[in-house]
Amino acid sequence: MIHLTQPGTLFQDQYVTRASELLQKWQGEGVHSYGLIGVPLAKTSISHSGAHLAPAAFRQSLSGFTTYATESGCDLQRERIIDFGDIAMHATDVIESHKRIKDTLYELLQKNEKLFPIIIGGDHSVSYPAIAAFQQARGKTAVIQFDAHCDVRNLHDGGVTNGTPFRKLLEEKHIEGDYLYQVGIRNFVNSEAYIHYVKQAGVRMVTMEHVTAVGIQNVMQNILHEVEQKADHLYVSLDMDVLDQAYAPGCPAAAPGGMSSSVLIEALSLITRSPLFSGIDLVEVDPTVDFRSMTSKLSAYMVLSVLEKRIR
Amino acid sequence: MIHLTQPGTLFQDQYVTRASELLQKWQGEGVHSYGLIGVPLAKTSISHSGAHLAPAAFRQSLSGFTTYATESGCDLQRERIIDFGDIAMHATDVIESHKRIKDTLYELLQKNEKLFPIIIGGDHSVSYPAIAAFQQARGKTAVIQFDAHCDVRNLHDGGVTNGTPFRKLLEEKHIEGDYLYQVGIRNFVNSEAYIHYVKQAGVRMVTMEHVTAVGIQNVMQNILHEVEQKADHLYVSLDMDVLDQAYAPGCPAAAPGGMSSSVLIEALSLITRSPLFSGIDLVEVDPTVDFRSMTSKLSAYMVLSVLEKRIR
Amino acid sequence: MIHLTQPGTLFQDQYVTRASELLQKWQGEGVHSYGLIGVPLAKTSISHSGAHLAPAAFRQSLSGFTTYATESGCDLQRERIIDFGDIAMHATDVIESHKRIKDTLYELLQKNEKLFPIIIGGDHSVSYPAIAAFQQARGKTAVIQFDAHCDVRNLHDGGVTNGTPFRKLLEEKHIEGDYLYQVGIRNFVNSEAYIHYVKQAGVRMVTMEHVTAVGIQNVMQNILHEVEQKADHLYVSLDMDVLDQAYAPGCPAAAPGGMSSSVLIEALSLITRSPLFSGIDLVEVDPTVDFRSMTSKLSAYMVLSVLEKRIR
Amino acid sequence: MIHLTQPGTLFQDQYVTRASELLQKWQGEGVHSYGLIGVPLAKTSISHSGAHLAPAAFRQSLSGFTTYATESGCDLQRERIIDFGDIAMHATDVIESHKRIKDTLYELLQKNEKLFPIIIGGDHSVSYPAIAAFQQARGKTAVIQFDAHCDVRNLHDGGVTNGTPFRKLLEEKHIEGDYLYQVGIRNFVNSEAYIHYVKQAGVRMVTMEHVTAVGIQNVMQNILHEVEQKADHLYVSLDMDVLDQAYAPGCPAAAPGGMSSSVLIEALSLITRSPLFSGIDLVEVDPTVDFRSMTSKLSAYMVLSVLEKRIR
Amino acid sequence: MIHLTQPGTLFQDQYVTRASELLQKWQGEGVHSYGLIGVPLAKTSISHSGAHLAPAAFRQSLSGFTTYATESGCDLQRERIIDFGDIAMHATDVIESHKRIKDTLYELLQKNEKLFPIIIGGDHSVSYPAIAAFQQARGKTAVIQFDAHCDVRNLHDGGVTNGTPFRKLLEEKHIEGDYLYQVGIRNFVNSEAYIHYVKQAGVRMVTMEHVTAVGIQNVMQNILHEVEQKADHLYVSLDMDVLDQAYAPGCPAAAPGGMSSSVLIEALSLITRSPLFSGIDLVEVDPTVDFRSMTSKLSAYMVLSVLEKRIR
Amino acid sequence: MIHLTQPGTLFQDQYVTRASELLQKWQGEGVHSYGLIGVPLAKTSISHSGAHLAPAAFRQSLSGFTTYATESGCDLQRERIIDFGDIAMHATDVIESHKRIKDTLYELLQKNEKLFPIIIGGDHSVSYPAIAAFQQARGKTAVIQFDAHCDVRNLHDGGVTNGTPFRKLLEEKHIEGDYLYQVGIRNFVNSEAYIHYVKQAGVRMVTMEHVTAVGIQNVMQNILHEVEQKADHLYVSLDMDVLDQAYAPGCPAAAPGGMSSSVLIEALSLITRSPLFSGIDLVEVDPTVDFRSMTSKLSAYMVLSVLEKRIR
Ligand SMILES: [Ca+2]
Ligand SMILES: [Ca+2]
Ligand SMILES: [Ca+2]
Ligand SMILES: [Ca+2]
Ligand SMILES: [Ca+2]
Ligand SMILES: [Ca+2]
Ligand SMILES: [Ca+2]
Ligand SMILES: [Ca+2]
Ligand SMILES: [Ca+2]
Ligand SMILES: [Ca+2]
Ligand SMILES: [Ca+2]
Ligand SMILES: [Ca+2]
């Protein structure tokens, strides 16, 4: 008698659906649901980063979760996530890589009006072509950027990097200043010139100190109120380093003074109630410096929580 | 002049009592106090686990603590913990190992009516023979299980594992469903079928989302109120993965969305006030993947806190 | 324009064939060439072992090599390795797991007379059902066991473990003592009783000290000369801990005093010249304690070298 | 064309000032501002400690922060920190090393009345000569010691160590008992004899349990109220192990049950409002056991926060 | 009395000269001796590499060695190594980075005829601009490349990377095929197409298998004999992955089957006798994945050995 | 039925004697055989060292070996090693610690004429009081020091450290220069002044380069021939950093260019034939930076090999 399994399948419980089973390989068909798109780009990072390995770590982490939420009773099995694979990056030419990101996402978003993209970076530079494509394909978009950093560095000193996505988006008019909400901006990791820049540009910037002082609920309610009055779409750009280093040790720029994971989950939970919410990216997870995949697991858990709260 | 010490004794302060000194090697005598029993079994784990090394790590961690609680002024020196050693496991036969656990604990508990067992796993499978023995030796027992998972998997797919202890206890009638309280059950690590199973079985299941919403104090007061009306004994089964991965990184199933250590300590503190509380196990600590023994140290700290609160 | 790749494919050079491409998923057809069979079993290990993760690590390591040997000019692209996947292990019942190994291998070997099995453990216990099945399906087989240890422990103290495969094979008459060649047996990791046992049983045992004294070439030539006079088949059981810990740091029983990797490669090279050589297992690699997958990479390199030398 | 940079300068943004740029190498001039003084001493530690490497790690961590606080708009560029380098330690003679600490600090403090010393240990033993020198050079000083431990061990069992700084200070009358405030003293890491000792000595001791019960704000307001009525100066001795192990994993005595980093930052923030606050030491960070320099980064962040709050 | 040292100077023995003291910061003067030039470029790497951190690790490793060779009695104190610092890399534009390498080296080599460059990569891509500049500034150059890989990948699949330096050098005619000697080329890490390519191009390629068979002494004597008959200069390009993974665990492409460090040292020792030898690069050390800086220390030791053998 | 074992005893094979069982706790009796004496001192180390943890790691490593040598058939069970425990070190006063080492060893050696001491450091500084005591108790002693370093630093710069043991022994006339044999002295880790010093002092110094050139057998035969003509006793001081870093990664000063483990074992094997050989120390193993206890295991294996060769 022959007992063989797929390589690597060490144990399977017939009554358990792994969250990774939600992923369905794209066969070229039209997509009306969630779509997972990996963007394995980290050569745009200023510091040494293995964030291009995050899409693989994210998919792997999904297999550590089930599809079921115990309190609400929601089972994500009703949902489908089409896995488009990873966007093919050039080995060294980052301008070409950005172009491929924008072209690929634009075409996917335009051909699939109901596609809700879940974009897994890579470093934060990928949000520049991603948001540009989203805005161009879908129309008037507000962006909530969770981040310790403003990411509006000058382009002269290092070209296009993970320090410049929102500078590029603002300068090339892909997005107006007052359609960008930056939440969790921290002390001692930004500079006066760039805070001045975002204020001049009309960006809605909320410091971590302010979040602590007034509470995440107030912060988010005010933002969502504004967004719903002016935008057609809401896109979330989630730089995992908005979290404190104790919760997200695997970010290249992990540092103290950030959010706890429960505060960030509450923020996302409030966002899911908005009907405008139609796209998200998660960036800046470097699996090579993580501890026991904690940060990858947390990013997978965030995405599952978003899916469940949108169903409720 | 000869200056020799026991091997490995690098420094000793004469005014400090190490918590490890509370341990007294069992000489076969009757025991009327706390008894430490190691259960080095991890081959029952579904995933790769070094939890069989936890009893040694627990004892080692005790030596990093003193016996004194500063705020209350309690000194645990008045207490005695008899160290029964570890239950001898078979190298590969897990059914035989479970039998040895049950036989050994039953005989110890039956011969020592006042023995308060502190059982250090091992993985969670050890709670099946442990609770069965406890119930058989002592009578009507309510169990509070702190856990991210229900642990009621079907027995067909993998036999008796760390995913099945409460399934076995319920099916073999060692415990009625409404005598089992599961606290901290989390999203995306359980499946619909098993949540359905525990609800059908009458198990009192409290999700982590509910704990966050109403507070641990309310949760525990309700549970203790119920328990005191129906049971003769209260046993706590503490799976350390009920904690968030930031606090307990050394659990095989460490994941986000769990309790902080202070919430768990508060829960245990409330439990110690109940006169029914008469046994505990701590399971699912894998020293081989821990960081600086943080999770082992936390489990030792939990036990010391329980002892101190019971004296007060 | 859409630029998508398979998840995880970060770079591909069109003129390079990865050794992992030699693997072809088995579709149930008859197999007349090499067959890769993973045996993810480590719960039979006496010490804590993650060797069940070695088949996955082995396949992963193949992707780090190409198919081409520069000196000989052989390209393994002409070869095919059918990947049968992993034999499905029971979660806890090791006797059942051994039965599945034997049944599966027996059926595969019997139905496929020309199949050259490449069996990737798992710990060394898997060689007991593997060699039993091989001998039963193929006939009179000599075994060369590269190992620091004799692996003939008594069965009473721990049942069937990675310390007993050759004891079981001898006692159950799957193999006669003088058909077993143990090479690389080391000082201070075996005991007098067991060396006595193998000598009594007529096993040809060659110590590491002897290998160093007379040279691996002499040792192997003598063995191969004997084997070719009495056996119909030659099977190699390669416990990677025959290597010195500097070369194979990822073995559970890594220790000093062993072979260098070049000596072992020379030994295998000599074996490949024998027309009787028709099966091999590689065991005792624990990827969870390895450094930069060195030991997994070395085991993959060994297999590729064997394939190339057989072509020459 | 030549493109050369200082070794190790991988990227520089012209609009960003690194906090490490605040450091100016001391040229022997009079100093009226902050002064950084490294004290690389860890051979006084009871347990194995690499805390002598903390000054280098602290300076390195500063280079990971900027000088700008986003909420307040303060830019520390207006501040100057004179870097005096490290005090030269004897390779083995710790009494000589303590003497050098005291002599060096005394002379620096006496010659520079306005110097605000920021002393980076080393282990906690360095606070004994440091506070002695501070008190002698500046006059009537209250000390707030953040610590899990009282550090008043007897001097007989191990001589002068990181367990004795406050014992020495009290016994040699460098400081009266009621001028010493110990905050965060924890259960099971102190002993009855030493708690008795500090109470007898009139030390104001606040347990971690009390901090949790009444809140850090109340605790600090009471302390500061008392201090301002009796002392001329306020010195903070910050043992990073007052923090919970989840926030400060790199302390030799990292343990559960401690402060979160936000609670400690709030405490320091309240202290900075006191005009008496005129010196600080940070001790007990061991970079060799830290994870991703988290604890070093947190200590740098603490110092920057103190500087910013004092400007406001 | 003040005892201060430079930050980080933990101990200094007055009779010991650290090899790092040989480094003298370049002040713009003409250089007639050795020159150290860091090239911190790793974004050209196909796989994830931290090799841009190798120049800093190399300088740090020098401080772990002295200047004295015990057997020969040579003291390198008579030598001077001018440290030119690192060539400034662009954050993302690798073509620009290569241009800066070539321009910088060309200008330095041309203005300093007697400069012996010691170029510390970075990944192997840096040898393309480095050797081009060397050849252009100095004339007819033979190159001995120690490497497990040929590094002549096609340029279409990934552009200019660490897999293409010698392809570029050959195609752009910076060097003729028969002036390139590749030593240590290994099985299963190259492909047939590229071996074919180098043979067609007239490259002198020596496999690792051949080195083992005939001995490094024979190999090098033949090469040096040829070189001295046709070239004006001899440049060594040392990819540390020519070494076996047991000796150089910190190379991105660390693999089994390579040279021992003593064989490589012997090869370099023979090269130093040639009067044509006038430049070297060391590449492919990734300090972020090394163990205890072993590979960085070995590269520093190699350079010191070269210096000493040239004096003899 | 009760199944209890000693804590931590996970498996026991009745036919195997662990080498750790050779250790018998000293009960104050006279000792005529081997004696193990731990010397947990590392605060004398110039660089950061955890070598004081080596005695515990050594004993632990013994438990990973058996007592039986396969080739010779010797079983060490006939031998007895009395474990005297560790010499009690002062927490900070290293002069006092050295005094305790000397006093303790002197008294043990003098009272036990036939005691063969096996002294486990600690760093190399312990050999100063150890050899002084040996010489004083036993008489005219030749010392073979295996080491990469001469260890004769001046005493002014750092007092008595692990860089000075042989300086102290020579200066205080505990040993004449021509009774000291230093083997394996390496390039670039010593300085001219100190090589000059040892030559002036008449020390027999053999460089690693010389060992490689003439072979370890020749080196040792010459030394042993000399020793046997002038000395009454032969003592071996084995600094494990004489080994190459690939074989002994856990030494604080691990570096390239050293001996392979098989060369060192051959050297020790030759020494055991000398009837004068009557004491040994093993030093400079730091378990906190080792990989998988490789260096501790190698030191245990060395001691077992010495015992076995002496029996033969
Ligand atoms: Ca960002
Ligand atoms: Ca960020
Ligand atoms: Ca559980
Ligand atoms: Ca659980
Ligand atoms: Ca074996
Ligand atoms: Ca073995
Ligand atoms: Ca302290
Ligand atoms: Ca403390
Ligand atoms: Ca290369
Ligand atoms: Ca290479
Ligand atoms: Ca030494
Ligand atoms: Ca040494």
Side-chain angles (χ1 to χ4, degrees), chain B residues 43-45 48-50 52 90-92 94 158-161 288, chain C residues 43-45 48-50 52 90-92 94 158-161 288:
Chain B
K43 292 206 176 175
T44 26
S45 290
H48 183 50
S49 170
H52 60 295
H90 188 276
T92 54
V94 300
V160 175
T161 65
T288 68
Chain C
K43 292 202 176 178
T44 25
S45 289
H48 182 50
S49 170
H52 61 295
H90 189 277
T92 54
V94 300
V160 175
T161 65
T288 68

Side-chain angles (χ1 to χ4, degrees), chain A residues 42-53 90-95 155-161 286 288, chain E residues 42-53 90-95 155-161 286 288:
Chain A
K43 293 205 175 175
T44 25
S45 289
I46 292 171
S47 66
H48 182 50
S49 169
H52 61 294
L53 302 170
H90 189 276
T92 54
D93 184 342
V94 300
I95 304 303
L155 292 151
H156 180 263
D157 289 331
V160 174
T161 65
D286 178 352
T288 68
Chain E
K43 293 205 174 175
T44 25
S45 290
I46 292 171
S47 66
H48 183 49
S49 170
H52 61 294
L53 301 170
H90 189 276
T92 54
D93 184 341
V94 299
I95 304 303
L155 292 153
H156 179 263
D157 289 331
V160 175
T161 65
D286 178 352
T288 68

Side-chain angles (χ1 to χ4, degrees), chain E residues 229-305:
Chain E
Q229 286 179 333
K230 58 185 165 191
D232 298 328
H233 289 275
L234 172 57
Y235 178 103
V236 170
S237 184
L238 173 46
D239 183 335
M240 291 288 283
D241 67 22
V242 77
L243 291 160
D244 192 275
Q245 59 186 1
Y247 294 91
C251 293
M259 285 185 193
S260 71
S261 54
S262 59
V263 166
L264 180 54
I265 288 172
E266 190 179 348
L268 289 174
S269 182
L270 292 165
I271 288 171
T272 55
R273 296 188 195 157
S274 169
L276 302 187
F277 179 38
S278 46
I280 189 169
D281 64 51
L282 288 94
V283 297
E284 296 288 336
V285 176
D286 178 352
T288 68
V289 298
D290 206 357
F291 184 72
R292 295 200 69 209
S293 305
M294 272 171 67
T295 316
S296 290
K297 282 192 277 187
L298 184 51
S299 64
Y301 189 80
M302 295 277 172
V303 166
L304 294 172
S305 298

Side-chain angles (χ1 to χ4, degrees), chain E residues 32-33 40 63 103 193 195 199 209 211 216 237 284 307 311-312:
Chain E
H32 311 286
S33 62
S63 72
D103 291 353
I195 296 296
K199 285 181 177 169
E209 220 169 337
V211 171
I216 191 69
S237 184
E284 296 288 336
L307 266 59
I311 294 178
R312 276 193 186 189

Side-chain angles (χ1 to χ4, degrees), chain A residues 157-267:
Chain A
D157 289 331
V160 174
T161 65
N162 64 338
T164 65
F166 296 95
R167 180 74 168 243
K168 290 285 285 183
L169 288 166
L170 291 167
E171 298 215 337
E172 297 178 1
K173 307 287 183 198
H174 296 292
I175 185 170
E176 298 298 312
D178 59 342
Y179 279 73
L180 176 59
Y181 295 81
Q182 302 187 316
V183 180
I185 302 301
R186 228 175 290 171
N187 285 347
F188 306 123
V189 291
N190 293 281
S191 77
E192 187 160 27
Y194 295 129
I195 297 295
H196 183 74
Y197 176 89
V198 295
K199 285 182 177 168
Q200 285 286 327
V203 173
R204 269 49 172 165
M205 194 267 290
V206 185
T207 67
M208 190 61 221
E209 221 170 337
H210 188 71
V211 171
T212 306
V214 310
I216 191 69
Q217 210 165 5
N218 285 323
V219 168
M220 294 315 298
Q221 278 165 349
N222 289 342
I223 291 174
L224 290 167
H225 184 72
E226 274 187 43
V227 164
E228 279 163 26
Q229 285 178 334
K230 58 185 165 190
D232 299 328
H233 289 276
L234 172 57
Y235 178 102
V236 170
S237 184
L238 173 46
D239 182 335
M240 290 289 282
D241 68 21
V242 76
L243 291 161
D244 193 274
Q245 60 186 1
Y247 293 92
C251 294
M259 285 185 192
S260 71
S261 54
S262 58
V263 166
L264 179 55
I265 287 172
E266 190 178 348

